[in-house]
Amino acid sequence: ESFEILSTVWGRVPTSIESILLRLAKADVEGQLPGGYVPDGETFYTEVSSSLDKFSSIEENVIAILKAHCLCGLSRIALVGIDSAGIAQSAESYARDCLDALDGSFVVETFLSEWRAPGFLQSSASFHVCTARQLVAESLLRESKPEEARQFLEEAVKGSPLDFDAALALGAFRLRLVILQGGASSDQEKKVAQTQLLKAAKLNMNKADPFALLGIWYERQADTKRAVGCYSKALLLDATHPVAGRGMLRIKPYEEIEHLCTAATSETSPVNGWAWKAVGRSKAMDEGDDEKAAICLQQA
């Protein structure tokens, strides 16, 4: 619709970057969201990736990030495991190619007006690097290679000890191993997971993820007070955070955290379904208002 307005109302054709971003948006919708047609997402990612080298007007750093986005998308699709003749590589291979594409220095300045915010390119590159690392680790886990996955993430932290995303990826991985092992995990393994998440939290106190994961860690240790503190901190930073929100719902009665659920539902977010569900259940079970409950549950 926007492209039609461009030509009929503004009298111009879409630029190269506009066409690419729309194609990537279609790829994300089909390849990653529930209900999408995965083969189309795969096709769009592949087409965009192969066409990027033809655009000499687009800055090299921007091309690298767009390629990285395509490769991460293809890696996710490969992890889904849907049989598709188009998938040429493994999820791990695509993710490692993404890291290779971003292996270099990034200049913040760009000629694209919508990307002129200071640090935008660097933060975008960091996001894709972190995503690719987690996709490599996930692939190695799926291949029953947890030790290789751990070594891969540890090397990333050693190479960039002050990198928040690298620290978080390793902390999340170690917490996941503790959860998967259940009672078989040692006290030392539990402590290492906690320590790594604390390091990630100290590297960037404005990010909700490490606090939410620390909440899970403390909850599993039956330390309810600290778990609530971590979940509360995460929700203060991101009112819609699903891990922290669900954690609070497990620990606290709805009446005590109704204000948190209301705050989450007041924001436009694709991940606040936990809050809508809690509000809907309360409308139905506590207030007997089935009409409002249905609306909330549909939102969820």
Side-chain angles (χ1 to χ4, degrees), residues 154-183:
E154 284 181 348
E155 288 172 4
V157 170
K158 288 179 182 178
S160 304
L162 299 180
D163 188 313
F164 164 79
D165 295 313
L168 177 63
L170 179 58
F173 174 79
R174 284 178 166 159
L175 176 63
R176 181 178 180 181
L177 286 185
V178 168
I179 293 173
L180 289 175
Q181 292 171 355

PDB file of all heavy atoms in Angstrom, residues 154-183:
ATOM      1  N   GLU A 154      32.091 -18.988  25.588  1.00  0.00           N
ATOM      2  CA  GLU A 154      33.155 -18.533  26.481  1.00  0.00           C
ATOM      3  C   GLU A 154      34.238 -17.790  25.711  1.00  0.00           C
ATOM      4  O   GLU A 154      34.780 -16.792  26.191  1.00  0.00           O
ATOM      5  CB  GLU A 154      33.758 -19.727  27.223  1.00  0.00           C
ATOM      6  CG  GLU A 154      32.885 -20.250  28.349  1.00  0.00           C
ATOM      7  CD  GLU A 154      33.526 -21.413  29.088  1.00  0.00           C
ATOM      8  OE1 GLU A 154      34.533 -21.953  28.575  1.00  0.00           O
ATOM      9  OE2 GLU A 154      33.027 -21.778  30.170  1.00  0.00           O
ATOM     10  N   GLU A 155      34.562 -18.273  24.504  1.00  0.00           N
ATOM     11  CA  GLU A 155      35.565 -17.595  23.677  1.00  0.00           C
ATOM     12  C   GLU A 155      35.096 -16.189  23.302  1.00  0.00           C
ATOM     13  O   GLU A 155      35.889 -15.246  23.232  1.00  0.00           O
ATOM     14  CB  GLU A 155      35.849 -18.414  22.430  1.00  0.00           C
ATOM     15  CG  GLU A 155      36.658 -19.688  22.697  1.00  0.00           C
ATOM     16  CD  GLU A 155      36.755 -20.573  21.474  1.00  0.00           C
ATOM     17  OE1 GLU A 155      36.257 -20.155  20.402  1.00  0.00           O
ATOM     18  OE2 GLU A 155      37.318 -21.675  21.578  1.00  0.00           O
ATOM     19  N   ALA A 156      33.784 -16.055  23.059  1.00  0.00           N
ATOM     20  CA  ALA A 156      33.241 -14.733  22.730  1.00  0.00           C
ATOM     21  C   ALA A 156      33.407 -13.780  23.906  1.00  0.00           C
ATOM     22  O   ALA A 156      33.751 -12.607  23.731  1.00  0.00           O
ATOM     23  CB  ALA A 156      31.761 -14.854  22.349  1.00  0.00           C
ATOM     24  N   VAL A 157      33.191 -14.276  25.122  1.00  0.00           N
ATOM     25  CA  VAL A 157      33.343 -13.438  26.309  1.00  0.00           C
ATOM     26  C   VAL A 157      34.808 -13.086  26.543  1.00  0.00           C
ATOM     27  O   VAL A 157      35.143 -11.949  26.889  1.00  0.00           O
ATOM     28  CB  VAL A 157      32.753 -14.150  27.547  1.00  0.00           C
ATOM     29  CG1 VAL A 157      33.115 -13.403  28.825  1.00  0.00           C
ATOM     30  CG2 VAL A 157      31.244 -14.266  27.413  1.00  0.00           C
ATOM     31  N   LYS A 158      35.697 -14.051  26.336  1.00  0.00           N
ATOM     32  CA  LYS A 158      37.128 -13.781  26.497  1.00  0.00           C
ATOM     33  C   LYS A 158      37.608 -12.742  25.485  1.00  0.00           C
ATOM     34  O   LYS A 158      38.427 -11.884  25.793  1.00  0.00           O
ATOM     35  CB  LYS A 158      37.926 -15.066  26.330  1.00  0.00           C
ATOM     36  CG  LYS A 158      37.788 -16.036  27.491  1.00  0.00           C
ATOM     37  CD  LYS A 158      38.584 -17.307  27.244  1.00  0.00           C
ATOM     38  CE  LYS A 158      38.407 -18.298  28.398  1.00  0.00           C
ATOM     39  NZ  LYS A 158      39.138 -19.570  28.136  1.00  0.00           N
ATOM     40  N   GLY A 159      37.096 -12.836  24.264  1.00  0.00           N
ATOM     41  CA  GLY A 159      37.493 -11.886  23.228  1.00  0.00           C
ATOM     42  C   GLY A 159      36.957 -10.492  23.461  1.00  0.00           C
ATOM     43  O   GLY A 159      37.589  -9.502  23.070  1.00  0.00           O
ATOM     44  N   SER A 160      35.770 -10.397  24.088  1.00  0.00           N
ATOM     45  CA  SER A 160      35.151  -9.091  24.361  1.00  0.00           C
ATOM     46  C   SER A 160      34.598  -9.099  25.785  1.00  0.00           C
ATOM     47  O   SER A 160      33.386  -9.226  25.998  1.00  0.00           O
ATOM     48  CB  SER A 160      34.031  -8.802  23.353  1.00  0.00           C
ATOM     49  OG  SER A 160      34.499  -8.873  22.036  1.00  0.00           O
ATOM     50  N   PRO A 161      35.466  -8.975  26.788  1.00  0.00           N
ATOM     51  CA  PRO A 161      35.028  -9.094  28.183  1.00  0.00           C
ATOM     52  C   PRO A 161      34.047  -8.021  28.627  1.00  0.00           C
ATOM     53  O   PRO A 161      33.342  -8.214  29.618  1.00  0.00           O
ATOM     54  CB  PRO A 161      36.341  -9.008  28.971  1.00  0.00           C
ATOM     55  CG  PRO A 161      37.299  -8.320  28.060  1.00  0.00           C
ATOM     56  CD  PRO A 161      36.915  -8.741  26.675  1.00  0.00           C
ATOM     57  N   LEU A 162      33.995  -6.893  27.925  1.00  0.00           N
ATOM     58  CA  LEU A 162      33.074  -5.820  28.302  1.00  0.00           C
ATOM     59  C   LEU A 162      31.837  -5.774  27.400  1.00  0.00           C
ATOM     60  O   LEU A 162      31.046  -4.828  27.482  1.00  0.00           O
ATOM     61  CB  LEU A 162      33.795  -4.466  28.244  1.00  0.00           C
ATOM     62  CG  LEU A 162      35.001  -4.320  29.177  1.00  0.00           C
ATOM     63  CD1 LEU A 162      35.619  -2.939  29.035  1.00  0.00           C
ATOM     64  CD2 LEU A 162      34.599  -4.580  30.629  1.00  0.00           C
ATOM     65  N   ASP A 163      31.654  -6.794  26.577  1.00  0.00           N
ATOM     66  CA  ASP A 163      30.511  -6.856  25.670  1.00  0.00           C
ATOM     67  C   ASP A 163      29.307  -7.430  26.415  1.00  0.00           C
ATOM     68  O   ASP A 163      29.301  -8.594  26.824  1.00  0.00           O
ATOM     69  CB  ASP A 163      30.856  -7.729  24.459  1.00  0.00           C
ATOM     70  CG  ASP A 163      29.779  -7.675  23.383  1.00  0.00           C
ATOM     71  OD1 ASP A 163      28.589  -7.808  23.737  1.00  0.00           O
ATOM     72  OD2 ASP A 163      30.123  -7.505  22.207  1.00  0.00           O
ATOM     73  N   PHE A 164      28.265  -6.604  26.594  1.00  0.00           N
ATOM     74  CA  PHE A 164      27.068  -7.037  27.320  1.00  0.00           C
ATOM     75  C   PHE A 164      26.399  -8.226  26.650  1.00  0.00           C
ATOM     76  O   PHE A 164      25.999  -9.190  27.313  1.00  0.00           O
ATOM     77  CB  PHE A 164      26.070  -5.874  27.431  1.00  0.00           C
ATOM     78  CG  PHE A 164      24.682  -6.308  27.822  1.00  0.00           C
ATOM     79  CD1 PHE A 164      24.385  -6.593  29.152  1.00  0.00           C
ATOM     80  CD2 PHE A 164      23.680  -6.442  26.869  1.00  0.00           C
ATOM     81  CE1 PHE A 164      23.109  -7.009  29.523  1.00  0.00           C
ATOM     82  CE2 PHE A 164      22.406  -6.848  27.225  1.00  0.00           C
ATOM     83  CZ  PHE A 164      22.123  -7.128  28.560  1.00  0.00           C
ATOM     84  N   ASP A 165      26.241  -8.167  25.328  1.00  0.00           N
ATOM     85  CA  ASP A 165      25.527  -9.225  24.617  1.00  0.00           C
ATOM     86  C   ASP A 165      26.242 -10.572  24.744  1.00  0.00           C
ATOM     87  O   ASP A 165      25.597 -11.618  24.901  1.00  0.00           O
ATOM     88  CB  ASP A 165      25.364  -8.856  23.137  1.00  0.00           C
ATOM     89  CG  ASP A 165      24.474  -7.640  22.944  1.00  0.00           C
ATOM     90  OD1 ASP A 165      23.408  -7.612  23.573  1.00  0.00           O
ATOM     91  OD2 ASP A 165      24.836  -6.736  22.188  1.00  0.00           O
ATOM     92  N   ALA A 166      27.570 -10.558  24.674  1.00  0.00           N
ATOM     93  CA  ALA A 166      28.327 -11.796  24.820  1.00  0.00           C
ATOM     94  C   ALA A 166      28.167 -12.358  26.235  1.00  0.00           C
ATOM     95  O   ALA A 166      27.970 -13.571  26.416  1.00  0.00           O
ATOM     96  CB  ALA A 166      29.800 -11.547  24.518  1.00  0.00           C
ATOM     97  N   ALA A 167      28.222 -11.482  27.233  1.00  0.00           N
ATOM     98  CA  ALA A 167      28.063 -11.922  28.620  1.00  0.00           C
ATOM     99  C   ALA A 167      26.678 -12.490  28.867  1.00  0.00           C
ATOM    100  O   ALA A 167      26.514 -13.515  29.541  1.00  0.00           O
ATOM    101  CB  ALA A 167      28.330 -10.748  29.566  1.00  0.00           C
ATOM    102  N   LEU A 168      25.662 -11.833  28.302  1.00  0.00           N
ATOM    103  CA  LEU A 168      24.288 -12.303  28.484  1.00  0.00           C
ATOM    104  C   LEU A 168      24.068 -13.652  27.810  1.00  0.00           C
ATOM    105  O   LEU A 168      23.428 -14.546  28.376  1.00  0.00           O
ATOM    106  CB  LEU A 168      23.302 -11.276  27.930  1.00  0.00           C
ATOM    107  CG  LEU A 168      21.827 -11.677  27.996  1.00  0.00           C
ATOM    108  CD1 LEU A 168      21.382 -11.848  29.450  1.00  0.00           C
ATOM    109  CD2 LEU A 168      20.951 -10.651  27.288  1.00  0.00           C
ATOM    110  N   ALA A 169      24.592 -13.808  26.595  1.00  0.00           N
ATOM    111  CA  ALA A 169      24.428 -15.070  25.869  1.00  0.00           C
ATOM    112  C   ALA A 169      25.013 -16.236  26.658  1.00  0.00           C
ATOM    113  O   ALA A 169      24.407 -17.307  26.759  1.00  0.00           O
ATOM    114  CB  ALA A 169      25.076 -14.973  24.490  1.00  0.00           C
ATOM    115  N   LEU A 170      26.197 -16.028  27.249  1.00  0.00           N
ATOM    116  CA  LEU A 170      26.830 -17.083  28.034  1.00  0.00           C
ATOM    117  C   LEU A 170      26.043 -17.346  29.317  1.00  0.00           C
ATOM    118  O   LEU A 170      25.844 -18.506  29.718  1.00  0.00           O
ATOM    119  CB  LEU A 170      28.271 -16.702  28.368  1.00  0.00           C
ATOM    120  CG  LEU A 170      29.059 -17.715  29.210  1.00  0.00           C
ATOM    121  CD1 LEU A 170      29.104 -19.077  28.523  1.00  0.00           C
ATOM    122  CD2 LEU A 170      30.472 -17.206  29.476  1.00  0.00           C
ATOM    123  N   GLY A 171      25.583 -16.283  29.967  1.00  0.00           N
ATOM    124  CA  GLY A 171      24.800 -16.454  31.189  1.00  0.00           C
ATOM    125  C   GLY A 171      23.503 -17.204  30.935  1.00  0.00           C
ATOM    126  O   GLY A 171      23.119 -18.092  31.710  1.00  0.00           O
ATOM    127  N   ALA A 172      22.816 -16.851  29.845  1.00  0.00           N
ATOM    128  CA  ALA A 172      21.563 -17.526  29.503  1.00  0.00           C
ATOM    129  C   ALA A 172      21.813 -18.996  29.200  1.00  0.00           C
ATOM    130  O   ALA A 172      21.026 -19.876  29.580  1.00  0.00           O
ATOM    131  CB  ALA A 172      20.916 -16.841  28.304  1.00  0.00           C
ATOM    132  N   PHE A 173      22.922 -19.269  28.516  1.00  0.00           N
ATOM    133  CA  PHE A 173      23.260 -20.648  28.175  1.00  0.00           C
ATOM    134  C   PHE A 173      23.529 -21.470  29.444  1.00  0.00           C
ATOM    135  O   PHE A 173      23.030 -22.596  29.590  1.00  0.00           O
ATOM    136  CB  PHE A 173      24.482 -20.667  27.259  1.00  0.00           C
ATOM    137  CG  PHE A 173      25.005 -22.050  26.965  1.00  0.00           C
ATOM    138  CD1 PHE A 173      24.389 -22.853  26.027  1.00  0.00           C
ATOM    139  CD2 PHE A 173      26.106 -22.542  27.648  1.00  0.00           C
ATOM    140  CE1 PHE A 173      24.869 -24.126  25.763  1.00  0.00           C
ATOM    141  CE2 PHE A 173      26.594 -23.811  27.397  1.00  0.00           C
ATOM    142  CZ  PHE A 173      25.965 -24.611  26.445  1.00  0.00           C
ATOM    143  N   ARG A 174      24.304 -20.899  30.362  1.00  0.00           N
ATOM    144  CA  ARG A 174      24.624 -21.633  31.582  1.00  0.00           C
ATOM    145  C   ARG A 174      23.387 -21.862  32.448  1.00  0.00           C
ATOM    146  O   ARG A 174      23.225 -22.920  33.063  1.00  0.00           O
ATOM    147  CB  ARG A 174      25.698 -20.879  32.358  1.00  0.00           C
ATOM    148  CG  ARG A 174      27.083 -21.052  31.741  1.00  0.00           C
ATOM    149  CD  ARG A 174      28.140 -20.273  32.457  1.00  0.00           C
ATOM    150  NE  ARG A 174      29.479 -20.716  32.042  1.00  0.00           N
ATOM    151  CZ  ARG A 174      30.575 -20.002  32.179  1.00  0.00           C
ATOM    152  NH1 ARG A 174      30.514 -18.793  32.722  1.00  0.00           N
ATOM    153  NH2 ARG A 174      31.745 -20.472  31.783  1.00  0.00           N
ATOM    154  N   LEU A 175      22.513 -20.876  32.497  1.00  0.00           N
ATOM    155  CA  LEU A 175      21.263 -21.058  33.237  1.00  0.00           C
ATOM    156  C   LEU A 175      20.427 -22.165  32.602  1.00  0.00           C
ATOM    157  O   LEU A 175      19.830 -22.993  33.294  1.00  0.00           O
ATOM    158  CB  LEU A 175      20.472 -19.747  33.268  1.00  0.00           C
ATOM    159  CG  LEU A 175      19.091 -19.815  33.925  1.00  0.00           C
ATOM    160  CD1 LEU A 175      19.218 -20.172  35.400  1.00  0.00           C
ATOM    161  CD2 LEU A 175      18.349 -18.495  33.761  1.00  0.00           C
ATOM    162  N   ARG A 176      20.402 -22.178  31.296  1.00  0.00           N
ATOM    163  CA  ARG A 176      19.631 -23.205  30.590  1.00  0.00           C
ATOM    164  C   ARG A 176      20.167 -24.603  30.907  1.00  0.00           C
ATOM    165  O   ARG A 176      19.395 -25.541  31.112  1.00  0.00           O
ATOM    166  CB  ARG A 176      19.690 -22.945  29.083  1.00  0.00           C
ATOM    167  CG  ARG A 176      18.906 -23.957  28.269  1.00  0.00           C
ATOM    168  CD  ARG A 176      18.965 -23.616  26.797  1.00  0.00           C
ATOM    169  NE  ARG A 176      18.232 -24.564  25.998  1.00  0.00           N
ATOM    170  CZ  ARG A 176      18.134 -24.521  24.687  1.00  0.00           C
ATOM    171  NH1 ARG A 176      18.741 -23.549  24.027  1.00  0.00           N
ATOM    172  NH2 ARG A 176      17.448 -25.417  24.012  1.00  0.00           N
ATOM    173  N   LEU A 177      21.482 -24.758  30.937  1.00  0.00           N
ATOM    174  CA  LEU A 177      22.065 -26.060  31.264  1.00  0.00           C
ATOM    175  C   LEU A 177      21.673 -26.496  32.679  1.00  0.00           C
ATOM    176  O   LEU A 177      21.365 -27.668  32.910  1.00  0.00           O
ATOM    177  CB  LEU A 177      23.588 -26.014  31.134  1.00  0.00           C
ATOM    178  CG  LEU A 177      24.173 -26.001  29.725  1.00  0.00           C
ATOM    179  CD1 LEU A 177      25.691 -26.088  29.788  1.00  0.00           C
ATOM    180  CD2 LEU A 177      23.623 -27.146  28.882  1.00  0.00           C
ATOM    181  N   VAL A 178      21.687 -25.536  33.606  1.00  0.00           N
ATOM    182  CA  VAL A 178      21.300 -25.858  34.990  1.00  0.00           C
ATOM    183  C   VAL A 178      19.850 -26.342  35.026  1.00  0.00           C
ATOM    184  O   VAL A 178      19.520 -27.314  35.713  1.00  0.00           O
ATOM    185  CB  VAL A 178      21.487 -24.624  35.899  1.00  0.00           C
ATOM    186  CG1 VAL A 178      20.823 -24.846  37.261  1.00  0.00           C
ATOM    187  CG2 VAL A 178      22.962 -24.321  36.083  1.00  0.00           C
ATOM    188  N   ILE A 179      18.980 -25.671  34.267  1.00  0.00           N
ATOM    189  CA  ILE A 179      17.568 -26.053  34.241  1.00  0.00           C
ATOM    190  C   ILE A 179      17.392 -27.423  33.593  1.00  0.00           C
ATOM    191  O   ILE A 179      16.639 -28.275  34.091  1.00  0.00           O
ATOM    192  CB  ILE A 179      16.739 -24.988  33.487  1.00  0.00           C
ATOM    193  CG1 ILE A 179      16.733 -23.676  34.286  1.00  0.00           C
ATOM    194  CG2 ILE A 179      15.317 -25.473  33.263  1.00  0.00           C
ATOM    195  CD1 ILE A 179      16.096 -22.514  33.560  1.00  0.00           C
ATOM    196  N   LEU A 180      18.088 -27.661  32.493  1.00  0.00           N
ATOM    197  CA  LEU A 180      17.965 -28.942  31.788  1.00  0.00           C
ATOM    198  C   LEU A 180      18.487 -30.093  32.644  1.00  0.00           C
ATOM    199  O   LEU A 180      17.934 -31.200  32.622  1.00  0.00           O
ATOM    200  CB  LEU A 180      18.728 -28.886  30.465  1.00  0.00           C
ATOM    201  CG  LEU A 180      18.126 -28.011  29.360  1.00  0.00           C
ATOM    202  CD1 LEU A 180      19.055 -27.964  28.163  1.00  0.00           C
ATOM    203  CD2 LEU A 180      16.755 -28.540  28.937  1.00  0.00           C
ATOM    204  N   GLN A 181      19.547 -29.835  33.388  1.00  0.00           N
ATOM    205  CA  GLN A 181      20.121 -30.890  34.224  1.00  0.00           C
ATOM    206  C   GLN A 181      19.308 -31.148  35.481  1.00  0.00           C
ATOM    207  O   GLN A 181      19.376 -32.234  36.057  1.00  0.00           O
ATOM    208  CB  GLN A 181      21.559 -30.514  34.607  1.00  0.00           C
ATOM    209  CG  GLN A 181      22.526 -30.519  33.440  1.00  0.00           C
ATOM    210  CD  GLN A 181      23.883 -29.933  33.796  1.00  0.00           C
ATOM    211  OE1 GLN A 181      24.073 -29.439  34.904  1.00  0.00           O
ATOM    212  NE2 GLN A 181      24.811 -29.969  32.859  1.00  0.00           N
ATOM    213  N   GLY A 182      18.518 -30.163  35.896  1.00  0.00           N
ATOM    214  CA  GLY A 182      17.688 -30.338  37.070  1.00  0.00           C
ATOM    215  C   GLY A 182      18.524 -30.611  38.312  1.00  0.00           C
ATOM    216  O   GLY A 182      19.511 -29.941  38.600  1.00  0.00           O
ATOM    217  N   GLY A 183      18.143 -31.644  39.044  1.00  0.00           N
ATOM    218  CA  GLY A 183      18.841 -31.988  40.267  1.00  0.00           C
ATOM    219  C   GLY A 183      20.249 -32.490  40.057  1.00  0.00           C
ATOM    220  O   GLY A 183      21.035 -32.575  41.008  1.00  0.00           O
TER     221      GLY A 183
END
